[in-house]
Each structure stands twice: as structure tokens, then as C-alpha cells.
Amino acid sequence: MALDYLSLLNEPQRAAVLHTDGPTMIIAGAGSGKTRVLTYRIAHLLEKGVDPYNILSLTFTNKAAKEMRARIEKVVGPAAKGLWMGTFHSVFARILRAEADKLGYPRHFTIYDTDDARTLIRQILKELHLDDTVYKPATVLGRISAAKNKLISVQQYLSDAQIRRDDEVAQRPALGQIYQLYAQRCFRAGAMDFDDLLFQTNVLFRDHADALNKYQHLFKYVMVDEYQDTNFSQYLITRKLAASHRNICVVGDDAQSIYAFRGADITNILNFERDYPELQVFRLEQNYRSTQHIVKAANSVIKQNKQQLRKDVFSENEAGALIEVLRATSDNEEGRLVAHSIFEERMNQHLSYEDFAILYRTNAQSRSLEEALRRQNIKYRIVGGLSFYQRKEIKDMVAYLRLAVNANDEQALRRVINYPKRGIGDTTIEKLIAFGAETNHSLWEVVCSPASALGTNRQSGGVREFAETVQLFQQIAEQEDASEAAKFIAKRSGVLDDLYADKSIEGLARHENLTELLNGVSEFVDNPEREDKSLGAFLQEISLLTDADSKGQEQGEHVTLMTIHSAKGLEFRNVYIVGLEENLFPNQMAVGSRTELEEERRLFYVAITRAEKKLTLSYATSRYQWGNLRPCEPSRFLGEIDPQFVQVKFAPNGGHDDSPFGAVVERRTAASKLITPPVRPQQATIYKAPIDFQPSDTSNLQPGQRVEHPKFGFGKVTAVTREPAGTKAVVQFEEVGEKTLLLTFAKLRIH
């Protein structure tokens, strides 16, 4: 007997499933059963006699497509196998294989992954004699990817004056030439990268009307999941495909649009009605996932956004516990409070660790949390990223620290002898190792006298310089505490500068992680109860922490740690959102722009709505940044939650008790205690930049000079420092206070 799926739906869900003809938009709030609606809508079409080959269903993950197909099969049987269902990239790769000859590609074209693409970029940079510290392969690839997602061809890129200016300002004027060579080489190799799968599909449909006509008639019904996450390229393809029958159904939630950094355009869903005036809209507003308090708290936050579609999300579940806010005195204590809270909640409620998730804004925040969980003997797993101490940049830096304490550490030496690059290739390293083996000397001993193994060539000079650098690090490690030694080594080794130079999203994250490691060393030294503050003692502590990292970590139950972006689409019984401080969440880069701030608020909304039964928020009043303890302000988002749904907990004074009972906190039910301090102005309000504003040449900028900035107004230069990354100026502005500006990008007019 076939499943009576209609009886499993509420009224708005049922209406959305039964309405199959014409343009349809299903606005699905968090936890409202959108996957179920999409599944049963396709099942309903198949039951009506629509051929499965005439249905195109596009998702954002293979997992979502697989799960949806399995659900449909349960309702309609094997007919589901004929559906065109999958991710944008998988479906359009299939179309491109069938039509490849029209574009001059072989049918069995290669698909380059990110590593393939970066290797090709590196080869091109080498051929053009360009500096790969300026033209970082990841940065170059990101620029090419962004162009393709906006359907900017090589010809358009090269001829657009604004693009050329932007590249010149970024000091990468050759980007257009690299894009051109990259596209030529891919084509010559019969290869497409991931972005090409969408870009070339658009080219196919633009230049070959017969191909477009074929697929327009084939796909009588087009459905798109997570429509709020589509970029311009995806929007255009789906619009073209649906142009003939106009049976397009998009499912999404504008309040969960959080991928602008990847090219997602929220206006696609906000302006959908403009494209289809005859649109039918269905709102799925009942949340089946979360308690009433969680849903109402989420609503009170998201209503602050101006750019949104109206909906009234509600829950008929129990009212549930109030949302707890933990106020800690430091990020270390925040980790401790969260770990103790998880331990107690699990014991008191008889839960599994699988019921808990900790969400953060950036991967770097995991360090203090991981350490606290280990001390409490709570197993955890990192989703969407490596464990903090297993990340490459951390292992590289720790290798340098290990050499400063024990230069005979061969594994550490081999790891960093040519990082950052100093012309010591694999062949040279093998020669050094072989000579050491023949003469019964350690690798370090051979490195200290390289001429005996290599002669007096250029490589020998590079090895000798490395040895002298390590010897200097040894001296520093003997003379200074762990914090000072680590900061010196991070800077002098070149690792910090190397990561700082990479301005890609990944590069910025790696730089953040390294500074977080230095923060951890500073915390170690600043602990008044710790007698031995040496670098050796610090390394011993983290080696004991990381020993268990790879052993048995995947067996049994775990607390889940992940970024909020990684948590999209998931749900957990108990959720902890940590680091709710200004300039961390919302991110520092977002607070100056309403559009970006609204994206951050949507990210917070997504985080809140992952919780089923209990939600805990936390912030620290001080946090280590760049090795220094700095005061923090609570996030403005905390102040936007309706106080009636909040219970605030304050950490005990001092917060240095490491015992299991040290985290017992004083309960305060008065949410009025949570007062968000006024936000510092991010731009001048009285000052308005003149229309004829022209920046001056700042190459000889001096302290004491009066300057004007189009956003911050008038100010006085208090300091100018020249660093490898570029010259920085510290300016005391009249309205917004002190700002540090990179002169390469700062638009300053000198008066």
C-alpha cells in the first residue's frame, strides 16, 4: 500500500505539495519541514503521471540529493531513479558532457579540483616570472572564481577599466593576463574547473539556442532547494531552463542566506516575484524542531533586518528552558564554563555527548574550547576543520618551537627546513640525510656543517642560514619566557609574514589560527599558578594534550564542534554559541556595512535555530588578541534578543578555580543585567566627504600631519610604521577615534 503522505502534512505544507503548475515560491522557516515538502511534491508529480525525466531537482549537496531520492523511492518506488536530481555542478556536468562538442571540449573532459587549479596557477606564475607571495595562488584563483560566478569572461575582464583599476589598487595588475592564460591552458588540456561547470553551461545556453531549446522542453518542472544560496550564474541558468513551461518551484529562507562570501546573492530570492508576477507563495511557518522560547528569541533577532521577506515563524512545542547567557572573564574561562555546563547537563538530564554542539564564528576559536573539553575528559570531534593542533600552519609553527628546544628533533627539522621557501629542495634534504647516515651524525649536525655534504653551492648557503636562525631561536628560548620566545620565532622565521601575505579567505583563517596559538602561549605564561613558564614546559603541555587527539577520538559519543557555516541544515538537542562579542560576532569586517551586518545577523539566526531543547550563549569580557589580553564588549546581537526569553549567568569573581565545582555560577534571571555597551562609531556622522575628494600621495606621510579620510573624516597622524606587509599609519580621528590604516589601501588627503 502506497504511503498516504498528504496526511503527514500540515495545511500550508499540503497546499505547497498540491500546487504543481506555474511559478511557486515556498518560504520555509527553520525546522519547518521543507525537505519533506520538496520530497512529497516530486512524489505527487510522479503520481500524477509526469515522466521522471521531465523533472529537474537541484540541491546544494550530494547528501541532500541522495536523501531526497531515497525518500521519494519509499513513496513511488523505482520511478524515482529517472529523476534529474543532484547538485548544480553534477547536473550541469552531465549536460556539458552531452553537449561538449558545441563548446569545443572533448566529451570526456577532465574536471580540475582545487589542487589541480592551484598547481596550474603556480606554473603560470612561474612562466610569467611573477612573485607568488604577491600573486598567492589561492588569491588568484579566488579572483578568477568570482569573475566566472558573475559570468565575466576573459575578454570582458581584460577590457573593463574598473576591474583593471581594482587589480592595480590591489597591486596585482597581471591578474587579467593570468586569467587569460589559465582559461587557455584549461581549454587546451580539455579541462574545466568547478566554476566552469556553471560558466560554460551559461555559454552553452547563450550561444546555442538549439541546446537551450532541448533542455527547456525536457525539463517541464524545475525545482531548486536552498534558493537563497544561489549566485548570479545559478540564477540565470534556472531562469532560462524554466522560461518555456514556467513551472519553477524554489524553496528557501532569506533569513538563512549566509554565503555571500561564496558569491550567494540574497536578491535572487527577495526579487523572485519581480521575475514571475503570477507567482504563488506558500509560507511554512510552523517550526517542528525547537521550543517556543528558542523560536521566539530567533524571531526577535531576525526582525532587526530591513532586507527580508515577511513570515511569522511559530512553534507548538513546549515552552522549554530559558536561553542561558554565560558571562566569562576570559576566553579560557569561557571554554571552562561551557565544558562544565555540558558535563553537568549530560549527567543531570541523562543525555549523550552526541546531543551537544558548540558553534563558533571562526575556526580559530576552537583552541580554548578543545583544551577545556580535554581537561574535563569530554570527547569531541571537529566538523569542517581539523583539530586546532593538527592544522598545517599550527604544526609548522610548533615545529619551529620544538627546534628551539631540541634542535635534534629530525621530524620538526624536515618539516620546516624549506618553509618558508629558502631554496632547499627535496634533493638537497635527501643528500643531507644520506650524509648523516654514512657518517653517523644527526641531521642537525649535518645542517650545522652543510659544506661537507653539499660543497659550497647555493643550497649549502641556504642550509647554513637556516642553522644560524635555529641557533638564534635556541638562545631566545633560553633567555625569554614561552610567550616572548614564541612571538619572536613566529616573526623571525617568516611564518607569520608568509600567512599574512595571503589575503584569501583560507589565508586569513590560517593567519588567525597562528595568532590564536600565540594567544594560547600568552595565556600559559600569564597563569599565576604556573611556575615553569619556559617554551619547553608549554610544548610538553600541548604534546600531552594532542597525544590523545588521534587515538580513539572517533570511537563512541562526542560533542560536536563546528563553525556556524558548517552547521547549516543540522540540528542538535543542546547548542552552545560562543564568542558573542563585538568584532568577533558580528565580525569586525561587517560592522561598517548594513548589508554585511544583516548577513552576520542571519548567521546568528541560523545558529540559534539549530537548537531543539536548550540554547546557551556565551561571551568573554576579555580575550587574548595578538598575544595581549584585551577588553571585549558583548555582541549587539545579545541585546537584540527579547529579555523575557533570557536568563543571564555571571561567572564567579576571578574565575581561576580549576576544580569541577569552580564553574558553579550565580544565577540571575533579570535579563536587564545584560546591557550591551554603546557601539563605537564605525564612520563619521557629522563629516561628509566632498564630491571632489582626491587622495594624496602618502609615500612620505609623517606623524603630526593633518589628514582627511572619506569615511572617518579629519584626523591627525600619530605614528607611521614600515612593515613587510606594507606601511601602516595610526591616525587619531576627531569623530571615530584611533584607527590603524594600511597606506596601500587607505584613501587619505593630506592638509
Side-chain angles (χ1 to χ4, degrees), residues 524-576:
F524 173 90
V525 170
D526 288 351
N527 186 337
E529 295 175 7
R530 201 175 301 283
E531 289 180 18
D532 189 350
K533 300 177 186 291
S534 68
L535 190 58
F538 172 76
L539 288 169
Q540 180 178 305
E541 173 147 309
I542 66 166
S543 68
L544 292 171
L545 287 173
T546 54
D547 271 350
D549 211 27
S550 57
K551 294 174 188 170
Q553 219 26 27
E554 289 305 314
Q555 298 170 3
E557 53 179 75
H558 308 81
V559 174
T560 301
L561 275 71
M562 60 173 70
T563 64
I564 302 166
H565 283 102
S566 302
K568 176 90 181 293
L570 303 177
E571 55 193 50
F572 299 90
R573 189 189 189 282
N574 289 25
V575 169
Y576 292 77

Side-chain angles (χ1 to χ4, degrees), residues 26 28 34-35 38 58-61 64 68 88 223-231 234 249-259 262 264-265 268-269 289 567-570 606 610:
I26 302 170
K34 74 169 175 74
T35 306
L38 208 49
L58 295 165
T59 62
F60 268 82
T61 64
M68 208 177 293
F88 279 89
M223 276 169 267
V224 186
D225 194 13
E226 304 285 6
Y227 192 67
Q228 76 279 352
D229 294 330
T230 53
N231 59 30
Q234 291 161 328
C249 172
V250 302
V251 183
D253 181 6
D254 58 296
Q256 296 186 66
S257 176
I258 58 174
Y259 293 115
R262 269 189 348 209
D265 188 350
N268 291 349
I269 193 166
R289 177 186 300 154
K568 176 90 181 293
L570 303 177
V606 166
R610 298 313 92 199

Side-chain angles (χ1 to χ4, degrees), residues 501-653:
D502 185 354
K503 300 300 184 196
S504 67
I505 292 167
E506 296 92 341
L508 291 169
R510 284 193 288 270
H511 187 261
E512 266 183 5
N513 289 336
L514 187 52
T515 56
E516 187 60 23
L517 174 68
L518 298 177
N519 294 340
V521 186
S522 297
E523 281 182 7
F524 173 90
V525 170
D526 288 351
N527 186 337
E529 295 175 7
R530 201 175 301 283
E531 289 180 18
D532 189 350
K533 300 177 186 291
S534 68
L535 190 58
F538 172 76
L539 288 169
Q540 180 178 305
E541 173 147 309
I542 66 166
S543 68
L544 292 171
L545 287 173
T546 54
D547 271 350
D549 211 27
S550 57
K551 294 174 188 170
Q553 219 26 27
E554 289 305 314
Q555 298 170 3
E557 53 179 75
H558 308 81
V559 174
T560 301
L561 275 71
M562 60 173 70
T563 64
I564 302 166
H565 283 102
S566 302
K568 176 90 181 293
L570 303 177
E571 55 193 50
F572 299 90
R573 189 189 189 282
N574 289 25
V575 169
Y576 292 77
I577 308 171
V578 299
L580 278 158
E581 297 135 37
E582 282 295 300
N583 298 326
L584 184 56
F585 195 15
N587 189 278
Q588 190 173 3
M589 309 289 280
V591 294
S593 152
R594 196 195 84 186
T595 304
E596 289 179 22
L597 183 62
E598 291 203 352
E599 171 118 348
E600 288 286 295
R601 190 175 284 112
R602 290 195 294 271
L603 191 59
F604 185 44
Y605 176 84
V606 166
I608 292 172
T609 54
R610 298 313 92 199
E612 297 171 356
K613 299 290 185 187
K614 190 168 182 201
L615 175 65
T616 306
L617 313 174
S618 68
Y619 71 99
T621 56
S622 63
R623 187 175 291 272
Y624 274 88
Q625 292 175 313
W626 307 102
N628 298 310
L629 196 62
R630 301 204 173 164
C632 302
E633 298 174 356
S635 168
R636 68 189 74 194
F637 297 153
L638 287 169
E640 291 172 359
I641 301 172
D642 189 326
Q644 66 178 306
F645 307 122
V646 175
Q647 176 186 25
V648 186
K649 291 176 154 188
F650 288 79
N653 292 333

Side-chain angles (χ1 to χ4, degrees), residues 19 22-25 248 250 272-274 276-281:
H19 182 84
T24 308
M25 180 161 66
I248 183 169
V250 302
F272 194 68
E273 197 165 0
R274 194 183 302 167
Y276 301 97
E278 74 272 39
L279 182 70
Q280 284 285 319
V281 179

